[in-house]
């Protein structure tokens, strides 16, 4: 797709239709879906290897069990090879090989006959969603358990059952992937997604597959204003580990960023703010979503639930916001076996990708703008304004005149777009001839060399 | 009542039911009701003596007539021994002994026969409230008059009437009561109420009786963060006199306070702001009332009418707000004989007392809070978070997690409570284990020793 | 009219009825209506001469063609003596002598026979307003054209037509009128209106006639706090020329001002803000209009369309707002022959004049106010407060007490008026006895001598 080769105006004009990008992301999701991921273990490594095949510069890090991360400690590494429940006749009632959600995450190993009553104390189902297998974990307290549909649970007959879990949990490592892309500035945009969920699609394969595609798009850019830091981590413990290793660097350099999660279904767009609520990331996310769909859902900090809990925690306070499709906890399939590759679609992933891509473009292009002349410029002599003045003349060029009227050297393009109710992408188009005619100049605020915004003219 | 023995979490858990406190306040109101109070005179002294019996440290001050108080002068002292109107047959048509509202406050003495027409020019009644005796005063312009129900007035037959008022108005003193309670800090909370109204109950015996009970509760505290300055004064001239004597001290030390009035009926809760509108008192009052009754009535500075007119006047500007039940001027019985001990009830007084008590507790506990760790603390290992992660885990501990997420060392507990939509009283409970586990620290901003918030753990 | 002889309280009490002022302005409009104005030429000079007869101190300036004005250049001077279209039978189908709107402004000269098809390419009409002759110009691109009603256009039969325009466009001058009125302060209020439209009444003879009357009213004042700078210019190129000559002076001295346009019909009042939106002009305009008609129309900067485009452009940013009746572009007759002296009326002009007069009075009287006593003043002893206190006493003097309560030396009279919901004109009346009793003092902030606000007492 040629539009990936530049940042900016050209990219903004890409029609938001299902395309090769959506299918490419969906295929990656299909490859990753069957793997049994957890916060540590072989599933994480297998996942990072597959992603690494698409992102050759991805570095896979390992952090030993027992390492401190602020108030937390990296737990032992958990691996599971098989698990099932069989009845007195040797029939497998539940089989980990068929669906890895059947086993409670971090279950201890077990192989024991018991009656139904005892088995029940280790079963989890959802009476309100009788056909869904729930997703349950117990990372920090040893126990074992099986998850199943409530329908199946109600059919279980009294009798003896053998519960088998072939797992081990012992000192090992926690893994995460990291990729940096150098731009003109040392200032960074931070993208984080997580790779710790077993077979579920919106939460959470959509995150890593969209992030992979964003990374590929950024790598293909001939020039980037900002540098990019992209991580694939286990949720919570992974972000805590990453923060504890890089806190000062992140606080110094990160000027915006997104936690990328729940970004693959087609039902809606959602926004969740940073703790501060008014960072560049927050403003850009809302601007982009408003122009994609004015009815996008706007959550508050009180609705948070993913790694922004760490990235925006007191004293950390990175400018990280979240752009989603259907938000975790808010759609019925969430954290169950119903969150599958029917719910997530190529179109859904493509929409999510485009929203994040546009948000990044807005960050790249958010320069202050300043007219070079007092008063309105004489646009007619430059062919930019109708020479015949009628009742309607002014309306034909209103967006351009509104834009110029706010280029006071104080407002950024984003602020101007908000003030005049136009999408930044449209204003980038309008800016082109104004900048090439020398009527407007772009001012970049960061320490990086103040070259004019090169891709624009 | 044992819950009065501490400030804070324990007190906050007191159920708001009618109790001994309500009855105690109601009984004091019954004792004070018959006394003929005015802005000066024996009625004020008798009232302060009865209150002083409950508050042994109450100091009764006297200020001579003629003393200047800013733009005002303390008027002569007014006392009345008897008054009546009798008809030609010696029948008493109006009798001060039956209801002290029958005489216009500060009436000059009179003893004269006159015809009905002349008498009428000195009578006051309310055609719209024909069964109510109005409350009328003329403090600063000599005149005499009688107040009566409009029903009675219309029954008066032509003929001769003798009007008798046995009063005198001559140089004397203005009295007020004052009580200070020393806390850890020299910073003060200022409570003011007035004792200048004759036989009326909501406006204004509810004020002094609730204030008396608040003083008793504060005296019983083993420890107080702030000091308390409590005054029982005549309205307007009393607050002006008090301000003129202590203005600099009050401006230096008072960090919050309330004018306590109209606090005894059961119909609603009301709030009237300080002139600034955003002082600690304003914020605390609205926070407390919102959680007692979301439909509390919110007045503006333009609706003011009591001593906040002086306390918040330009150049004075003390942080004084008002928490009321039915506000003066807004209920039909206001300033008439219908404002009696049927309108004011033990329940009504108790509700008012509790609202003010909670407001004071919020002031005492309004510390800034700071997490001691980066990222979210690991609460599971401390038994504060469910170890099994399901769809619902996060909701069970949401208020706690929201609280922690805002403990950034900048926000106070009140600001956090407002941000997360929870009452401060609930957060005080949640804070206890977090502080005792060393995860949160409390920061007191005033000059007083920065000991941690002692009653909390 | 005697009320014109003072600024302030007395003027504010003038009833807003049709009067000599409205008729005087309407008569001036009638005199000016037939003149064929454009941005340069004889029509402008003739117009300025008639206005100069009413304003003897008006200076008429000329600026040569070719003079640079920021990004613009003063165009050649255009004059027209006659123009018509005749058919094969010598019948004049269109005649400039009957309506100067028939010729496109700045048309080149022409005298040529052509068939209807060719003629049509030079005709302008409005299908949606078939009985209106549109107003069309082509200042900066040479072309010729005729404007006519769509009704007439549809009646034109195929055949030959002679199009004659006797015009010339050659180096000459651009003219504008300027008037300054010296006040106590060097700070200025800037009033600008334009005189470049041919025979149309609301847009735009209402502007110059109302501005002329405001100038006469200001000249007649015995004393003014601020100085006034009043210009009659061609729109756009005129304001650019004026700014380019005086930018630094205007930026240093202008504290408020109005672009005066579309101020003569009776349908509504309208407000259009400065670019900043919160200048003194913006605040005063909205305050005055709200009290004239709470339903006045409030436009935004995005609706701009007149000389505020230059006065408020980035880097210029003068505090210029606009008070109008029906706004340009928003009423059906706009820029057509229907915008005539039936649409504009003496009443309409009078209402517009009064709105601007009141706005100027508010600017003149916008002082900070400060009480001279702590607490409320004792108003009873000065006869300003009822001495008998009843249920209703406070309401009788509420506006006065509210005013006093905000005289804290920080707020201006305008801010107080907004805070208490009263018009400034009413508060000026109430202030009189308070200032004369020494209870309130007025503070003028500008560099001018800090004499008390003399016209008030």
């Amino acid at each position: 797709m040629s539009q990936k080769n530049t940042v900016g105006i050209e990219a903004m004009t890409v029609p938001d239709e299902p395309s090769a990008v959506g299918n490419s992301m969906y295929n990656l999701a299909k490859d990753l879906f069957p793997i049994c991921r957890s916060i540590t273990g072989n599933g994480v490594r297998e996942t990072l290897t597959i992603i690494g095949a698409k992102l050759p510069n991805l570095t896979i890090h390992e952090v030993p069990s027992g390492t401190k991360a602020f108030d937390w400690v990296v737990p032992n590494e958990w691996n599971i090879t098989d698990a099932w429940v069989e009845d007195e006749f040797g029939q497998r009632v539940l089989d980990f090989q068929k669906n890895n959600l059947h086993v409670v995450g971090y279950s201890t190993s077990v192989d024991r006959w018991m009656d139904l009553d005892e088995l029940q104390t280790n079963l989890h189902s959802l009476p309100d969603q009788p056909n869904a297998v729930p997703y349950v974990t117990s990372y920090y307290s040893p126990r074992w358990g099986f998850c199943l549909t409530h329908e199946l649970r109600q059919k279980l007959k009294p009798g003896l059952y053998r519960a088998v879990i072939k797992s081990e949990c012992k000192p090992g490592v926690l893994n995460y992937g990291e990729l940096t892309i150098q731009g003109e500035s040392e200032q960074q945009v931070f993208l984080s997604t997580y790779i710790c969920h077993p077979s579920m699609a919106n939460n959470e394969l959509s995150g890593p597959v969209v992030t992979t595609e964003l990374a590929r798009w950024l790598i293909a850019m001939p020039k980037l204003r900002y540098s990019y830091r992209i991580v694939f981590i286990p949720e919570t413990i992974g972000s805590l580990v990453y923060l504890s290793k890089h806190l000062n660097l992140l606080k110094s350099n990160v000027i915006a960023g997104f936690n990328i999660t729940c970004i693959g279904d087609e039902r809606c767009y959602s926004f969740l703010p940073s703790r501060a609520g008014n960072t560049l990331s927050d403003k850009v996310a809302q601007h982009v979503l408003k122009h994609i769909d004015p009815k996008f859902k706007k959550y508050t900090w009180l609705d948070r639930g993913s790694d922004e809990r760490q990235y925006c925690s007191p004293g950390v306070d990175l400018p990280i916001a979240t752009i989603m499709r259907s938000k975790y906890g808010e759609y019925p399939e969430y954290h169950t076996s119903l969150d599958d590759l029917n719910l997530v679609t190529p179109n859904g992933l493509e929409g999510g990708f485009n929203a994040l891509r546009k948000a990044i473009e807005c960050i790249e292009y958010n320069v202050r703008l300043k007219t070079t002349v007092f008063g309105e410029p004489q646009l007619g002599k430059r062919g930019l304004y109708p020479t015949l003045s009628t009742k309607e003349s002014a309306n034909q060029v209103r967006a351009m005149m509104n834009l110029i009227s706010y280029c006071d050297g104080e407002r950024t393009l984003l602020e101007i777009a908000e003030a005049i109710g136009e999408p930044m992408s449209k204003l980038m188009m309008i800016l082109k001839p104004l900048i090439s005619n020398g009527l407007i100049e772009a001012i970049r605020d960061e320490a990086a060399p103040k070259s004019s915004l090169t891709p624009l003219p």
Side-chain angles (χ1 to χ4, degrees), chain A:
Chain A
M1 305 238 314
S2 68
Q3 69 274 16
K4 288 191 199 156
N5 291 324
T6 62
V7 167
I9 290 169
E10 295 77 10
M12 282 294 174
T13 62
V14 177
D16 293 337
E17 294 159 14
S19 70
V21 177
N23 289 323
S24 163
M25 291 188 286
Y26 191 75
N27 287 334
L28 178 57
K30 280 201 289 195
D31 290 346
L32 296 173
F33 194 80
I35 300 169
C36 179
R37 279 166 294 273
S38 184
I39 53 175
T40 59
N42 296 324
V44 176
R45 280 185 290 272
E46 196 179 338
T47 298
L48 290 173
T49 302
I50 292 172
I51 290 171
K54 299 224 167 210
L55 300 173
N57 291 320
L58 185 76
T59 306
I60 301 176
H61 296 269
E62 54 185 42
V63 180
S65 302
T67 304
K68 279 215 62 171
F70 302 138
D71 194 43
W72 299 61
V73 174
V74 174
N76 283 341
E77 180 177 327
W78 181 70
N79 284 295
I80 179 168
T81 50
D82 204 356
W84 70 85
V85 173
E86 62 181 65
D87 64 15
E88 301 171 27
F89 312 102
Q91 285 253 308
R92 292 201 172 184
V93 177
L94 292 172
D95 191 345
F96 170 77
Q97 301 300 339
K98 291 190 180 154
N99 187 343
N100 55 36
L101 290 175
H102 281 318
V103 178
V104 168
Y106 264 68
S107 274
T108 52
S109 68
V110 66
D111 184 350
R112 205 151 50 74
W113 286 93
M114 60 196 73
D115 62 16
L116 179 58
D117 284 352
E118 187 183 347
L119 180 65
Q120 288 284 13
T121 64
N122 292 284
L123 297 185
H124 305 276
S125 65
L126 298 167
D128 292 343
Q129 288 178 284
N131 65 331
V133 180
Y135 168 50
V136 179
T137 64
S138 179
Y139 299 136
Y140 297 98
S141 182
R143 54 161 68 86
W144 64 267
F146 285 89
C147 304
L148 68 170
T149 67
H150 203 66
E151 283 166 354
L152 178 57
R153 187 176 190 168
Q154 288 185 301
K155 285 181 194 149
L156 293 179
K157 301 209 170 81
L160 289 179
Y161 291 88
R162 181 183 172 203
V164 181
I165 297 180
K166 297 187 173 180
S167 69
E168 57 175 19
C169 190
K170 60 182 190 186
V173 299
L174 172 148
N175 297 101
Y176 66 88
E178 182 187 35
L179 178 69
T180 56
I181 306 170
Q182 186 65 36
E184 294 176 357
S185 165
E186 291 306 310
Q187 295 187 320
Q188 296 187 341
V189 177
F190 182 53
L191 305 178
S192 176
T193 192
Y194 43 97
I195 36 74
C196 59
H197 284 59
S199 299
M200 288 173 295
N202 195 40
N203 184 39
E204 190 47 83
L205 282 175
S206 65
V209 305
V210 166
T211 305
T212 301
E213 200 63 33
L214 286 168
R216 281 157 53 89
W217 169 70
L218 287 164
I219 288 165
M221 289 293 125
K223 205 169 204 178
L224 288 167
R225 176 178 176 187
Y226 293 111
S227 297
Y228 288 79
R229 180 183 287 265
I230 304 173
V231 296
F232 300 79
I233 54 174
E235 204 179 7
T236 304
I237 186 64
S239 51
L240 287 160
V241 162
Y242 195 78
L243 282 172
S244 72
K245 289 170 68 122
H246 302 292
L247 183 58
N248 288 339
L249 187 70
L250 293 166
K251 289 184 72 163
S252 300
N253 288 4
V254 171
I255 56 111
F258 299 100
N259 183 43
I260 302 179
T261 173
C262 295
I263 189 80
D265 73 329
E266 296 185 26
R267 286 181 286 208
C268 66
Y269 288 90
S270 307
F271 166 70
L272 189 125
S274 73
R275 194 170 79 96
N278 61 355
T279 71
L280 178 57
S281 313
D282 295 291
K283 290 172 185 166
V284 156
Q286 291 175 86
H287 176 76
V288 164
L289 290 180
K290 181 169 65 182
H291 287 287
I292 289 176
D293 180 1
K295 290 182 301 207
F296 78 94
K297 293 189 184 175
K298 208 168 156 177
Y299 293 95
T300 77
W301 174 249
L302 304 184
D303 301 308
R304 75 197 176 286
S306 181
D307 277 333
E308 70 284 348
R309 288 154 46 206
Q310 317 309 330
Y311 294 137
C312 303
S313 62
V316 175
D317 277 318
L318 298 179
I320 303 300
T322 312
I323 289 173
M324 290 169 281
R325 304 296 306 245
S326 291
K327 177 184 171 287
Y328 46 81
E330 300 288 334
Y331 60 96
E333 302 87 351
Y334 169 70
H335 271 199
T336 76
S337 55
L338 304 180
D339 185 349
D340 60 18
L341 288 169
N342 293 309
L343 179 65
V344 164
T345 66
N347 270 344
L349 292 165
E350 174 95 3
F353 168 79
N354 279 327
L356 281 157
R357 177 179 58 77
K358 287 183 180 189
I360 291 169
E361 286 168 335
C362 287
I363 292 167
E364 286 274 321
Y365 277 89
N366 193 34
V367 288
R368 284 187 295 123
L369 293 164
K370 190 170 183 316
T371 58
T372 58
V373 297
F374 289 112
E376 289 185 339
Q378 224 282 42
L379 296 165
K381 68 185 180 193
R382 298 179 177 93
L384 299 172
Y385 200 97
T387 55
L388 188 76
S389 175
T390 67
K391 274 181 113 158
E392 290 305 312
S393 311
N395 287 329
Q396 299 164 25
V397 287
R398 187 149 295 272
M400 178 175 64
M401 300 315 291
N402 284 344
L403 166 60
I404 294 171
S405 88
Y406 279 118
C407 291
D408 50 16
E410 293 178 15
R411 287 174 171 85
T412 64
L413 185 55
L414 174 60
E415 288 165 345
I416 296 172
E418 286 292 307
I420 73 178
E422 302 281 0
M424 258 182 87
S425 50
K426 178 176 172 184
L427 299 187
M428 288 176 199
M429 302 282 287
I430 292 174
L431 264 179
K432 266 176 103 164
L434 297 172
I435 287 181
S436 64
N437 274 282
L439 294 173
I440 306 277
E441 63 181 29
I443 303 167
R444 280 165 63 163
D445 283 324
E446 75 281 2
K450 269 202 176 189
S451 60
S452 67
L453 190 68
T454 49
L456 259 178

